[in-house]
Amino acid sequence: MYTILIISFYHFWDIPIITFFYQLKGTTIYNFAKNITDFAKAEYQLVPSLIFYIYFRNKNRYYANIALLVFVSVALSGLITDIIKFILGRYRPIEYFEHHLYGFKFLQTKYKYTSIPSGHSTTIFSAMYVLAIFLKKYRFPLIIIGLLMAFTRVISLNHYPSDVLAGILVAITISSILYNGFKKRGMLTIDGKSIQT
């Protein structure tokens, strides 16, 4: 169902939406999105989660393993996203606006051909998704932050909406698999008791 949504955006809504935001280029909303979008980069999730892991690994294994789960989720989902990007070779929006190119040029590594999935969207949503699993009280705000940060990739004209949706799909899939793996190995327990989430 979610894959159908991504395909639908690709065929029907990507160009109208990115064209709308292209008309906002230079405005306050565009500049704001452009200024904050890089906070979705992997290092902004990897470095803090690694620091938390190192700090807690000898003090609280439960917290340490949550930090480790964030780190591994961000790293692995980001790596898988990069592999998919290079295989699919989708033109970025700039290629549509400058050369009217829309679609795919398979097996490419250059920036202008690596639009789907959105790497920033994958990594920020991986981190927020994992944190939302454990921080139930803040689950909704965390997911909203993840979605909004991912969508800055569209507003700043770096990606199409379907790229962002694909990135979120990778994030949820990989993070869920890793979470289940951690749980089966008893890595998400306190005093031997599983934490219900």
Side-chain angles (χ1 to χ4, degrees), residues 20-181:
F20 170 79
F21 284 110
Y22 185 75
Q23 294 169 350
L24 298 181
K25 190 174 182 179
T27 64
T28 301
I29 188 171
Y30 169 83
N31 291 330
F32 178 72
K34 193 172 176 63
N35 287 333
I36 69 168
T37 194
D38 277 347
F39 286 107
K41 281 184 176 179
E43 53 262 40
Y44 289 101
Q45 290 83 56
L46 291 174
V47 173
S49 59
L50 180 60
I51 292 171
F52 270 83
Y53 172 74
I54 293 171
Y55 178 79
F56 282 112
R57 66 179 174 172
N58 294 322
K59 298 181 179 182
N60 187 312
R61 292 301 301 177
Y62 176 66
Y63 290 153
N65 286 338
I66 291 175
L68 181 61
L69 178 56
V70 172
F71 182 90
V72 177
S73 295
V74 171
L76 186 58
S77 63
L79 176 62
I80 290 173
T81 288
D82 284 342
I83 293 170
I84 297 172
K85 279 174 177 280
F86 299 149
I87 293 172
L88 295 181
R90 186 185 186 185
Y91 292 111
R92 286 185 182 263
I94 190 66
E95 291 298 295
Y96 174 74
F97 294 119
E98 292 186 356
H99 307 293
H100 300 290
L101 294 173
Y102 184 78
F104 299 88
K105 189 176 182 181
F106 300 104
L107 301 176
Q108 298 293 324
T109 58
K110 291 183 179 179
Y111 174 81
K112 61 184 179 181
Y113 305 126
T114 55
S115 198
I116 193 168
S118 164
H120 288 59
S121 301
T122 301
T123 54
I124 188 64
F125 206 82
S126 288
M128 295 301 107
Y129 181 75
V130 171
L131 290 175
I133 291 174
F134 298 98
L135 303 175
K136 291 183 178 180
K137 190 181 291 186
Y138 305 103
R139 184 170 289 176
F140 183 72
L142 286 167
I143 294 299
I144 293 299
I145 289 170
L147 291 172
L148 290 176
M149 286 301 297
F151 199 66
T152 62
R153 303 303 291 161
V154 177
I155 301 172
S156 60
L157 307 176
N158 289 288
H159 286 283
Y160 293 102
S162 60
D163 302 337
V164 169
L165 292 173
I168 291 172
L169 176 61
V170 173
I172 293 173
T173 302
I174 299 303
S175 298
S176 297
I177 291 171
L178 289 170
Y179 167 74
N180 288 327

